[in-house]
Amino acid sequence: AIDKIRMTVPEDRVLLKEPMGRHTSFRIGGPAEAFVMVNDEEELAAALSAVKESGAEHMLIGNGSNLLVSDEGYPGIMIKLSGDFESITRCEDEPCRVRAGAAALMSRVSAFLTERGLSGFEFASGIPGSIGGAVFMNAGAYGSSMEQVVVSTRAMDTKTGEIFMLR
């Protein structure tokens, strides 16, 4: 799987025996067999295809918030979203909306919105982690949650690599 991933993801973003303590908010965890940082949908699809084809154990992670990894490590491939997945942009056709990648930190998105005079996301400013995890878990605080602010989600089927919209 690693050789196939290296055909799409640059070698400096494919690390073997990478200590997971470097990538979790608790700063604990032994080495993952492999740690792959994907920067865009093409790289993610290639990595998912490789793990599916090989049957390798794998896990997708964002910021590593609240992720506990055993001191013995992880016997598979950790796939970290980075690059394009960290982007935050204001929608040109609807200036009261933004697009945030799954790896964008909640605090960064909150600051981005505040700097542009947009409200409704203040509850998220203190929530650690990334947008992807927050959407997945419907994170919330102070009586508000992600379900109240998310309009749609662009997602990838981890088995097929197909991209689709959830509204």
Side-chain angles (χ1 to χ4, degrees):
I2 295 302
D3 290 338
K4 187 172 180 186
I5 290 170
R6 284 185 171 143
M7 292 170 63
T8 306
V9 179
E11 193 161 332
D12 65 327
R13 290 191 275 119
V14 180
L15 309 173
L16 302 179
K17 303 293 183 190
E18 176 69 4
M20 289 307 299
R22 295 178 182 165
H23 306 282
T24 66
S25 58
F26 291 112
R27 299 292 177 224
I28 60 171
E33 192 66 32
F35 183 82
V36 178
M37 292 170 280
V38 295
N39 281 351
D40 57 35
E41 291 172 351
E42 179 184 349
E43 290 179 358
L44 176 58
L48 291 172
S49 173
V51 297
K52 178 183 175 191
E53 186 178 298
S54 70
E57 191 170 331
H58 67 284
M59 182 182 297
L60 288 171
I61 66 170
N63 191 45
S65 299
N66 300 323
L67 176 63
L68 297 174
V69 179
S70 166
D71 288 339
E72 284 78 44
Y74 180 73
I77 301 171
M78 288 283 190
I79 302 171
K80 179 178 174 59
L81 302 178
S82 57
D84 291 353
F85 296 107
E86 297 170 308
S87 70
I88 307 167
T89 57
R90 194 168 191 167
C91 299
E92 290 182 23
D93 54 334
E94 295 182 66
C96 289
R97 290 191 181 171
V98 299
R99 286 187 178 95
L105 295 179
M106 297 282 282
S107 57
R108 278 194 55 232
V109 174
S110 183
F112 181 93
L113 294 168
T114 300
E115 290 166 5
R116 287 152 183 81
L118 300 173
S119 64
F121 202 70
E122 296 83 0
F123 74 92
S125 65
I127 298 175
S130 58
I131 291 290
V135 169
F136 181 77
M137 296 185 298
N138 191 31
Y142 311 110
S144 296
S145 63
M146 295 302 289
E147 71 179 337
Q148 296 166 314
V149 296
V150 174
V151 175
S152 64
T153 303
R154 182 176 158 91
M156 179 181 288
D157 184 319
T158 60
K159 291 181 177 62
T160 66
E162 178 185 351
I163 295 174
F164 56 95
M165 294 295 289
L166 298 170
R167 298 184 194 276

